[in-house]
């Protein structure tokens, strides 16, 4: 039976789905587990503490703010798991508070002590020597005092504007007349949160000891110590830190926009004034000060988080930069595959055969060199590229500009709506336009999330197209941390598909069908369900049927319903889902043949892979799309087939199957929504999938490609 929407809707029962928001919170709990994992070196645990808090900030800015907007608008539409916005908010707060208590207790009782044991001191003012205090106070007077602005709050001066994620002091002062006043001081963001004392005060080497030592003090502590200088003639009665989170997911009226760039720029300005969705305060702050903030920020007590510790611990990531290799996981250096590490034109190499790269195990350098070579090659006629998250100092953009200056046709889609990268993308879009590049900002109602480059080259036998298509962004920095797969190809059908997508993005071409690519919003959901239906057909015939999906998120109810149906028909389904998973596994009569794991490790699992056994004629796609409604219906996404026999074997065996063996960083999703470690008692040896790839990836691909080259 065809898996139509109507047929699959029989599975649309709230009991068959996890809530999206609680599933995300469980993902951040896995990050918390890494932050408290004593098997990790100290600075890596601190890195995960920072990630935990950065993740939580974004969750409140986007997801929680969206729920609160629904409540304010009296929207009570149920989620697919049957919850109202109010019910979700209650569950979120009930879940988040214990996690905050746990991570702050770990920071205060374990991390700070281990830092001290390793001669890294985060000091209080009363722990410092007199000369250190004196030097810091002088530093305050020269470097910090000039940028601080005390803002009073009284009948003549309204409550001051407080920016998103900024750290502030709420201060109560008393003047010489005995009158009490409220004031606010913002902790400046242009200075590091942790000041390196031993850089300000040149410490002596004592007893010939040359061991590395680092001493820090919180910037806020130094400001608090010097508050009397900011309020001369007044007595400081109270001074307590607080931090707010605003709604940053403001709606863009694209269909009414004459100029999308102007609209996005205005949106960025307005984002600063989004409604407050969370207030974090130190647990020392008295109730009357909390009430003052609540009243003037127009929030409720339910929006307040009372914290036992320093606010905004995402900033502790600066400790990770300390030059102490022994306190970090052993570094590794991506390698350039044998096939491209030769004195041969990149285009002639691609013409011979597809080239696959798996970042960060393979270097991102060949991708940059591909754009560089296209920019200088006199035979290249045109370059077309999509840019989603570009990065701050992009060599790729510089080469595109150079190509335009050499009179090549260069067309670039810069996705201005890439959340939190808008300002950076606007800057590069303007720089590209100045150089004469044809820049497209995106399509009304759609984000362009596909990662593609097309190079058109004049050759002896006619015009030839070359494509690079990937699961990851054209960002050299994230390419060091995110796992992504990309291919260079001269395959005529793939290049034709990529060309059609660019015509759709830059002109008025209508996307309808493709030779090899799977493209959102055209046919991704339909093709995936078609592949699932195929496995069901083979299972009914008593043949082997197997699906493996590797994703960042699985939310789409139709695809989940199709997987439920496949499970009931006996298809073996293995899902590797890093983040949100709304599918409930291991339910008898529904999903007993579905196993879900999540891997959270030193690298961020970012590639999306779709594998179907297909009666032995294995189908494997890599793509940019997760299985969420936004990726399937509201974004331009592209998935490409891995057709080369050896590449397909490498990915199936060394990526998908090896990930499923992981018993160090993999957690198994239970029917309760909780995750447990994939316990090693079931395996003969320990497998840390990412560390295994670091050791084996280059070795194996070099061997395979070298043998292919010989033949």
């Amino acid at each position: 039976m065809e898996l139509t929407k109507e047929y699959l809707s029989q599975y649309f029962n709230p009991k068959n789905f996890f809530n999206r928001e609680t599933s995300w919170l469980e993902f951040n709990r896995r990050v918390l587990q890494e932050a408290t994992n004593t098997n990790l070196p100290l600075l890596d645990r601190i890195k995960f503490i920072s990630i935990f808090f950065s993740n939580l900030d974004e969750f409140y800015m986007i997801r929680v703010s969206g729920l609160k907007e629904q409540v304010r608008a009296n929207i009570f539409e149920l989620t697919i798991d049957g919850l109202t916005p109010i019910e979700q908010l209650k569950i979120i707060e009930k879940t988040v508070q214990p996690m905050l208590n746990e991570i702050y207790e770990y920071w205060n009782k374990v991390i700070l002590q281990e830092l001290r044991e390793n001669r890294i001191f985060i000091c209080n003012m009363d722990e410092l020597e007199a000369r250190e205090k004196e030097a810091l106070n002088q530093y305050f007077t020269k470097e910090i005092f000039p940028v601080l602005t005390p803002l009073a709050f009284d009948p003549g001066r309204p409550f001051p504007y407080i920016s998103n994620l900024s750290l502030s002091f709420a201060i109560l002062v008393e003047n010489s007349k005995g009158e009490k006043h409220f004031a606010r001081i913002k902790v400046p963001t242009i200075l590091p949160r942790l000041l390196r004392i031993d850089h300000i005060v040149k410490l002596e080497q004592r007893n010939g000891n040359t061991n590395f030592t680092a001493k820090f003090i919180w910037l806020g502590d130094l400001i608090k110590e010097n508050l009397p200088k900011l309020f001369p003639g007044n007595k400081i009665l109270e001074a307590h830190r607080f931090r707010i989170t605003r709604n940053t997911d403001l709606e863009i009226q694209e269909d009414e926009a004459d100029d999308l760039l102007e609209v996005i720029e205005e949106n960025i300005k307005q984002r600063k004034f989004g409604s407050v969705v969370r207030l974090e305060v130190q647990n020392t702050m008295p109730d009357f000060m909390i009430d003052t903030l609540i009243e003037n920020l127009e929030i409720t007590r339910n929006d307040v988080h009372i914290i036992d510790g320093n606010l905004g611990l995402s900033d502790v990531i600066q400790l990770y930069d300390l030059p102490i290799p022994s306190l970090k996981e052993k570094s590794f250096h991506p390698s350039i595959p044998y096939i491209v590490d030769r004195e041969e034109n990149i285009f002639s190499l691609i013409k011979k055969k597809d080239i696959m790269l798996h970042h960060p195990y393979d270097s991102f350098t060949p991708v940059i060199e591909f754009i560089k070579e296209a920019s200088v090659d006199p035979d290249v006629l045109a370059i077309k590229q999509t840019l989603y998250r570009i990065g701050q100092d992009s060599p790729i953009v510089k080469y595109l500009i150079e190509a335009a200056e050499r009179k090549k046709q260069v067309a670039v889609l810069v996705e201005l709506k890439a959340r939190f990268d808008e300002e950076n993308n606007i800057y590069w879009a303007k720089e590209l336009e100045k150089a004469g590049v044809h820049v497209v900002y995106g399509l009304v109602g759609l984000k362009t999330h596909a990662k593609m480059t097309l190079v058109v080259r004049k050759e002896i036998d006619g015009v030839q197209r070359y494509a690079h298509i990937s699961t990851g962004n054209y960002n050299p920095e994230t390419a060091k941390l995110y796992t992504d797969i990309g291919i260079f190809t001269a395959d005529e059908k793939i290049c034709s598909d990529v060309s059609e997508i660019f015509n759709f993005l830059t002109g008025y071409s209508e996307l309808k069908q493709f030779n090899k690519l799977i493209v959102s919003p055209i046919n991704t959901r339909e093709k995936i369900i078609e592949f699932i239906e195929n496995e069901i057909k083979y299972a009914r015939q008593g043949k082997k049927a197997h699906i493996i999906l590797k994703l960042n998120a699985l939310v789409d109810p139709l695809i989940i319903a199709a997987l439920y149906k496949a499970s009931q028909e006996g298809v073996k389904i293995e899902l590797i889902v890093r983040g949100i998973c709304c599918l409930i596994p291991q339910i008898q009569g529904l999903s007993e043949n579905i196993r879900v794991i999540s891997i959270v490790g030193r690298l961020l699992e970012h590639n999306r892979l779709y594998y179907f056994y297909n009666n032995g004629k294995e189908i494997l796609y890599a793509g940019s799309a997760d299985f969420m409604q936004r990726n399937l219906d509201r974004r331009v996404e592209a998935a490409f087939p891995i057709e080369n026999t050896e590449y397909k074997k490498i990915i199936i065996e060394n990526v998908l199957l090896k990930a499923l063996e992981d018993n160090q960083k993999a957690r198994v999703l239970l029917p309760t929504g909780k995750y447990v470690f994939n316990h090693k008692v079931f395996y003969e040896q320990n497998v840390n999938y990412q560390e295994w790839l670091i050791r084996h990836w280059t070795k194996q691909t070099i061997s395979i490609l070298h043998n292919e080259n010989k033949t």
Side-chain angles (χ1 to χ4, degrees):
M1 181 184 293
E2 187 180 356
L3 299 183
T4 62
K5 184 174 182 178
E6 292 72 23
Y7 179 69
L8 292 174
S9 65
Q10 65 175 299
Y11 296 98
F12 293 178
N13 187 313
K15 69 179 183 180
N16 292 342
F17 298 89
F18 288 129
N19 179 264
R20 171 187 168 140
E21 316 306 345
T22 57
S23 181
W24 184 90
L25 288 171
E26 288 305 314
F27 158 67
N28 214 31
R29 190 188 303 279
R30 299 193 288 283
V31 175
L32 170 58
Q33 288 174 342
E34 291 301 294
T36 58
N37 179 359
T38 54
N39 292 323
L40 280 181
L42 176 59
L43 294 181
D44 284 289
R45 278 177 280 153
I46 288 173
K47 178 186 72 174
F48 277 108
I49 288 173
S50 173
I51 293 170
F52 172 88
F53 281 99
S54 295
N55 287 348
L56 201 60
D57 285 343
E58 186 171 333
F59 181 67
Y60 273 84
M61 287 189 285
I62 304 299
R63 302 302 306 176
V64 173
S65 66
L67 291 171
K68 291 187 176 183
E69 285 296 323
Q70 290 181 51
V71 172
R72 276 191 283 270
N74 292 316
I75 297 173
F76 297 104
E77 183 179 346
L78 300 181
T79 57
I80 196 165
D81 59 304
L83 296 181
T84 67
I86 290 175
E87 288 171 331
Q88 291 177 86
L89 288 169
K90 287 180 179 177
I91 292 171
I92 288 168
E93 292 307 323
K94 186 178 179 180
T95 306
V96 166
Q97 199 59 56
M99 293 167 71
L100 288 174
N101 293 341
E102 179 182 350
I103 199 164
Y104 271 105
E105 183 176 14
Y106 191 78
W107 172 264
N108 292 331
K109 294 185 177 179
V110 178
I111 294 294
L112 291 178
Q113 179 59 33
E114 287 193 35
L115 284 169
R116 285 178 174 269
E117 290 169 1
N118 287 279
R119 302 181 61 79
I120 304 167
F121 304 93
I122 300 179
C123 305
N124 299 317
M125 288 297 293
D126 56 12
E127 295 177 295
L128 302 180
E129 299 174 11
R131 68 189 184 91
E132 291 173 335
K133 284 185 180 181
E134 181 182 353
L136 282 170
N137 288 333
Q138 289 176 0
Y139 176 80
F140 173 87
T141 302
K142 291 179 181 178
E143 305 291 337
I144 302 174
F145 180 84
V147 301
L148 297 179
T149 305
L151 297 172
F153 172 49
D154 57 35
R157 288 170 284 195
F159 190 81
Y161 166 76
I162 299 168
S163 55
N164 182 42
L165 301 183
S166 63
L167 185 65
S168 301
F169 275 97
I171 303 163
L172 186 69
V173 299
E174 184 179 71
N175 63 22
S176 57
K177 299 177 182 178
E179 297 169 335
K180 297 177 182 177
H181 296 285
F182 182 93
R184 175 255 183 170
I185 289 179
K186 178 180 178 178
V187 176
T189 55
I190 58 172
L191 296 170
R193 281 285 307 283
L194 285 164
L195 294 176
R196 184 85 180 263
I197 299 172
D198 49 316
H199 283 178
I200 298 170
V201 185
K202 302 301 181 185
L203 296 180
E204 300 169 359
Q205 295 292 343
R206 296 181 180 175
N207 302 321
N209 186 354
T210 58
N211 289 337
F212 179 88
T213 299
K215 293 184 76 172
F216 295 92
I217 188 166
W218 289 102
L219 174 59
D221 286 353
L222 182 56
I223 292 173
K224 186 175 181 179
E225 175 79 6
N226 286 274
L227 282 178
K229 296 177 183 177
L230 290 152
F231 298 95
N234 290 268
K235 182 180 180 183
I236 310 295
L237 301 178
E238 303 279 355
H240 305 278
R241 272 156 272 204
F242 71 95
R243 183 174 183 264
I244 69 164
T245 309
R246 291 185 180 273
N247 175 3
T248 60
D249 196 25
L250 301 182
E251 186 177 355
I252 303 170
Q253 299 296 336
E254 294 180 66
D255 53 346
E256 300 175 9
D258 294 322
D259 187 326
L260 185 60
L261 187 141
E262 289 183 7
V263 170
I264 299 293
E265 286 183 311
E266 184 60 30
N267 177 262
I268 293 168
K269 294 175 185 175
Q270 291 302 316
R271 177 181 281 169
K272 297 190 297 184
F273 302 101
S275 59
V276 177
V277 295
R278 179 179 59 164
L279 168 64
E280 298 168 274
V281 301
Q282 285 184 305
N283 59 358
T284 55
M285 183 180 285
D287 284 344
F288 78 88
M289 296 189 85
I290 296 176
D291 290 337
T292 300
L293 291 171
I294 288 173
E295 179 182 353
N296 286 279
L297 294 171
E298 298 179 348
I299 57 175
T300 70
R301 274 274 174 176
N302 293 332
D303 303 315
V304 180
H305 285 174
I306 298 175
I307 304 298
D308 179 17
N310 283 282
L311 309 181
L313 284 187
S314 57
D315 293 326
V316 298
I317 191 64
Q318 74 177 89
L319 294 173
Y320 189 76
D321 293 331
L322 288 172
I324 317 176
S326 62
L327 298 184
K328 301 178 186 179
E329 289 188 294
K330 186 178 179 180
S331 62
F332 76 97
H333 301 286
S335 60
I336 296 176
Y338 170 83
I339 197 166
V340 294
D341 192 19
R342 290 183 286 176
E343 295 296 325
E344 188 173 344
N345 182 287
I346 186 72
F347 300 111
S348 64
L349 289 171
I350 297 169
K351 203 169 184 178
K352 289 178 184 176
K353 62 169 291 177
D354 290 355
I355 299 172
M356 183 182 73
L357 298 175
H358 188 191
H359 312 298
Y361 312 104
D362 290 327
S363 171
F364 193 70
T365 300
V367 179
I368 299 172
E369 290 297 314
F370 175 67
I371 308 298
K372 179 182 179 181
E373 196 158 335
S375 74
V376 299
D377 188 327
D379 294 325
V380 167
L381 305 174
I383 305 171
K384 303 180 182 183
Q385 188 168 37
T386 60
L387 295 174
Y388 189 72
R389 298 194 189 278
I390 304 171
Q392 289 190 339
D393 187 20
S394 173
I396 285 175
V397 173
K398 292 174 183 176
Y399 291 135
L400 291 172
I401 289 171
E402 289 178 13
E405 290 171 345
R406 293 187 177 98
K407 307 304 179 185
K408 301 181 189 300
Q409 294 294 314
V410 183
V412 179
L413 186 138
V414 179
E415 182 48 76
L416 299 182
K417 293 167 285 184
R419 186 180 286 145
F420 303 125
D421 273 352
E422 297 99 335
E423 288 184 85
N424 201 48
N425 288 6
I426 286 171
Y427 170 78
W428 285 119
K430 289 180 176 179
E431 291 299 301
L432 287 162
E433 283 186 326
K434 287 178 189 175
V437 173
H438 179 70
V439 179
V440 179
Y441 298 139
L443 302 173
V444 173
L446 294 173
K447 278 187 182 180
T448 301
H449 194 242
K451 331 294 186 180
M452 306 178 303
T453 302
L454 186 71
V455 173
V456 182
R457 192 169 185 263
K458 179 180 64 178
E459 298 182 356
I460 295 173
D461 51 352
V463 172
Q464 174 73 49
R465 291 180 292 198
Y466 298 87
H468 174 262
I469 185 166
S470 176
T471 69
N473 300 310
Y474 289 105
N475 186 322
E477 292 308 309
T478 57
K480 298 173 185 176
L481 302 171
Y482 291 17
T483 68
D484 279 301
I485 288 172
I487 60 165
F488 295 102
T489 184
D491 182 288
E492 287 186 13
K493 291 183 177 180
I494 290 180
C495 289
S496 175
D497 286 348
V498 171
S499 186
E500 282 299 312
I501 296 172
F502 275 112
N503 289 341
F504 169 66
L505 294 174
T506 61
Y508 290 105
S509 171
E510 291 187 13
L511 293 180
K512 290 184 179 177
Q513 60 183 22
F514 302 92
N515 299 299
K516 289 188 176 182
L517 297 187
I518 298 174
V519 180
S520 295
I522 309 302
N523 66 348
T524 303
R525 184 186 285 108
E526 289 73 13
K527 289 295 291 185
I528 295 300
I529 290 178
E530 179 186 317
F531 292 147
I532 294 171
E533 189 173 32
N534 228 25
E535 296 303 310
I536 291 173
K537 179 184 73 175
Y538 292 124
R540 286 174 176 168
Q541 295 171 4
K543 298 177 179 178
K544 177 180 176 181
H546 190 192
I547 297 170
I548 306 174
L549 301 175
K550 185 174 182 296
L551 305 162
N552 292 321
L554 174 57
V555 177
D556 184 68
L558 279 168
I559 290 181
I560 290 174
L563 292 170
Y564 285 152
K565 180 60 181 173
S567 171
Q568 291 177 340
E569 296 286 352
V571 179
K572 181 182 180 182
I573 301 168
E574 296 177 290
L575 306 177
I576 307 159
V577 186
R578 175 175 59 89
I580 302 166
C581 181
C582 294
L583 176 148
I584 305 178
Q586 300 295 302
I587 298 293
Q588 195 66 32
L590 179 72
S591 57
E592 64 266 35
N593 290 315
I594 303 178
R595 177 174 179 256
V596 181
I597 69 166
S598 171
I599 295 174
V600 177
R602 69 190 286 185
L603 304 173
L604 187 142
E605 292 296 324
H606 193 253
N607 47 43
R608 293 89 164 178
L609 298 166
Y610 324 138
Y611 166 85
F612 303 88
Y613 183 68
N614 191 38
N615 197 31
K617 298 177 182 177
E618 296 166 305
I619 294 170
L620 178 64
Y621 277 82
S624 60
D626 289 305
F627 292 165
M628 307 173 77
Q629 292 94 319
R630 72 183 189 192
N631 299 87
L632 305 177
D633 301 323
R634 302 189 298 277
R635 290 188 175 187
V636 178
E637 307 269 12
F640 52 96
I642 306 295
E643 296 179 313
N644 176 284
T645 304
E646 290 297 338
Y647 289 158
K648 187 185 292 186
K649 181 180 179 183
I650 289 171
I651 293 178
I652 293 169
E653 293 183 359
N654 297 345
V655 179
L656 293 175
L657 296 179
K658 186 58 67 173
L660 291 166
E661 292 178 17
D662 190 302
N663 52 34
Q664 300 298 296
K665 296 298 182 182
R667 283 86 164 170
V668 179
L669 176 58
L670 302 178
T672 60
K674 300 297 182 183
Y675 287 76
V676 295
F677 277 95
N678 190 19
H679 207 283
K680 64 183 179 182
V681 73
F682 300 111
Y683 302 92
E684 294 181 2
Q685 59 184 3
N686 293 338
V687 177
N688 182 323
Y689 154 73
Q690 292 181 351
E691 297 298 332
W692 186 91
L693 280 175
I694 288 170
R695 294 193 303 272
H696 293 86
W697 177 261
T698 304
K699 203 179 298 181
Q700 296 200 13
T701 53
I702 284 176
S703 173
I704 289 168
L705 295 171
H706 185 64
N707 290 336
E708 274 195 354
N709 196 51
K710 280 182 177 179
T711 60

